[in-house]
Amino acid sequence: MVKVIAEIGCNHMGNMDIARELIQVAAHVCKADVAKFQKRNPRELLTSEEYNAPHPVPSNSYGATYGEHREFLEFSAGQHKELAEECRQNGIEYSTSVWDLTSAKEIAALKPSLIKIPSATNQHYELQEYLCTHYDGEIHVSTGMTTKTEIDQMIKFYEDRGRAKDLVVYACTSGYPVAFEDICLYEITSLQERYGSRVKSIGFSGHHLGIAADVAALAIGRANADVLGHGEFGYIERHFTLDRTWKGTDHAASLEPDGLRKLCRDVANVSKALSFKQSELLDVELVQREKLKWQTEKHGKLIETA
């Protein structure tokens, strides 16, 4: 069964009460499988110039500089531990994307079932080396803004360390939001064909509007996996917020509760529909056949005319 990840990210706006509410709504209203956050150490991740520069979109900023903005949105390792417990109590998996080595160490210590490497840092091999060595769970990696050569190198990195079978690789276009013509769903096919037999699973991480493309991604991924005999399609990830008009960069590319609820519903239902008939006539058809089907033995032969 495909899992849906509610990517909360920084949509909590630095507020633990909002973060808890996002977990609760994702779990109970939307029926998502995973609630995922983000963890950054701005002083480590940003250069001095980047830290002290103004936010590129001042109206979205929570600080006088981009660094201050990022600090405002960060939760401590202790707060992430509280969020992991909140997830446990609400029956939803906890996870986090890690953007730097310090964040990777802090989140790995919580031992979540999966840790995500965002597209921005999938070439940060010191970070990934640490996870390969010190973390036993699934490692998920997005491939937005990444060349095919870079993806090849990344897969080989995990293979060389014996961790490729713990790796989930996501088709992704990095944009907020992404126009439909830039979603490029057939990249799921490319990843499955090239890496599907070498990694644990392929996923789709979307930043588009609506949910139609996600259902199409599910159909493409499942069909490819069946045809190829490998390349399991395991995850769909979407950004999640309580209100798309809230202040911040990601809200506009996020689903609100009803959107995520419908996505989880449709993924579950379409997953059931993606199958062959187990017999020539299903039980439901036998009932209708008896009522509706023209049968010679029942209705007699057609009258022949000259």
Side-chain angles (χ1 to χ4, degrees):
M1 180 65 71
V2 174
K3 291 186 176 182
V4 175
I5 298 177
E7 162 65 299
I8 294 168
C10 298
N11 283 346
H12 49 70
M13 302 184 293
N15 185 311
M16 282 289 286
D17 289 336
I18 293 176
R20 291 189 183 93
E21 184 176 3
L22 282 159
I23 289 170
Q24 293 160 8
V25 173
H28 300 297
V29 176
C30 305
K31 310 298 184 184
D33 300 286
V34 183
K36 187 170 76 65
F37 295 86
Q38 294 182 15
K39 187 79 175 77
R40 293 175 173 90
N41 183 323
R43 290 289 183 183
E44 179 178 335
L45 184 63
L46 303 173
T47 66
S48 177
E49 291 76 13
E50 290 170 334
Y51 191 98
N52 292 303
H55 192 290
V57 184
S59 60
N60 282 330
S61 184
Y62 287 92
T65 68
Y66 184 70
E68 290 180 7
H69 162 78
R70 292 257 55 103
E71 299 276 13
F72 183 91
L73 293 174
E74 280 303 308
F75 289 145
S76 68
Q79 288 173 310
H80 273 276
K81 185 176 181 179
E82 292 179 31
L83 294 175
E85 176 60 19
E86 185 73 28
C87 287
R88 188 193 67 77
Q89 291 180 3
N90 285 276
I92 189 170
E93 292 182 60
Y94 160 86
S95 183
T96 295
S97 292
V98 294
W99 287 64
D100 52 78
L101 182 57
T102 297
S103 297
K105 291 179 179 179
E106 291 174 339
I107 298 304
L110 299 178
K111 299 182 178 180
S113 58
L114 66 96
I115 290 178
K116 182 82 180 291
I117 307 295
S119 297
T121 53
N122 65 21
Q123 299 299 291
H124 189 333
Y125 286 114
E126 185 181 7
L127 184 167
Q128 292 173 89
E129 180 74 59
Y130 180 86
L131 291 180
C132 284
T133 305
H134 297 93
Y135 172 68
D136 294 332
E138 289 183 358
I139 301 174
H140 293 213
V141 184
S142 272
T143 59
M145 51 186 169
T146 308
T147 67
K148 287 181 170 57
T149 297
E150 289 171 337
I151 298 173
D152 281 342
Q153 292 170 342
M154 183 180 69
I155 301 301
K156 186 175 185 302
F157 173 88
Y158 283 94
E159 288 177 326
D160 289 347
R161 286 151 183 80
R163 295 301 306 273
K165 290 301 182 179
D166 298 318
L167 188 65
V168 178
V169 182
Y170 288 74
C172 176
T173 298
S174 297
Y176 307 90
V178 173
F180 284 99
E181 59 268 27
D182 291 330
I183 298 174
C184 303
L185 289 176
Y186 287 158
E187 289 302 313
I188 296 170
T189 305
S190 296
L191 291 174
Q192 288 175 307
E193 291 176 344
R194 190 167 182 84
Y195 309 114
S197 64
R198 300 161 63 185
V199 303
K200 182 169 186 176
S201 181
I202 303 299
F204 172 65
S205 179
H207 307 108
H208 50 279
L209 302 178
I211 62 174
D214 304 281
V215 176
L218 167 65
I220 290 170
R222 281 280 303 276
N224 287 338
D226 289 343
V227 170
L228 294 170
H230 63 248
E232 175 190 343
F233 186 78
Y235 291 88
I236 292 175
E237 176 186 76
R238 290 297 305 274
H239 280 261
F240 174 54
T241 184
L242 298 179
D243 188 335
R244 293 180 66 245
T245 67
W246 277 352
K247 178 179 176 179
T249 305
D250 290 345
H251 295 289
S254 300
L255 294 175
E256 291 180 334
D258 195 50
L260 185 63
R261 179 190 65 79
K262 290 177 179 177
L263 173 61
C264 293
R265 177 201 65 192
D266 290 353
V267 166
N269 289 340
V270 174
S271 291
K272 296 176 184 176
L274 293 171
S275 65
F276 294 100
K277 288 185 176 182
Q278 297 304 303
S279 58
E280 279 192 311
L281 296 173
L282 299 176
D283 290 345
V284 65
E285 291 183 298
L286 291 174
V287 175
Q288 301 307 317
R289 181 182 175 89
E290 180 63 27
K291 288 168 55 179
L292 304 174
K293 190 78 171 181
W294 177 278
Q295 299 175 64
T296 300
E297 62 271 22
K298 183 177 179 180
H299 296 92
K301 294 182 179 180
L302 291 174
I303 298 174
E304 294 183 2
T305 58

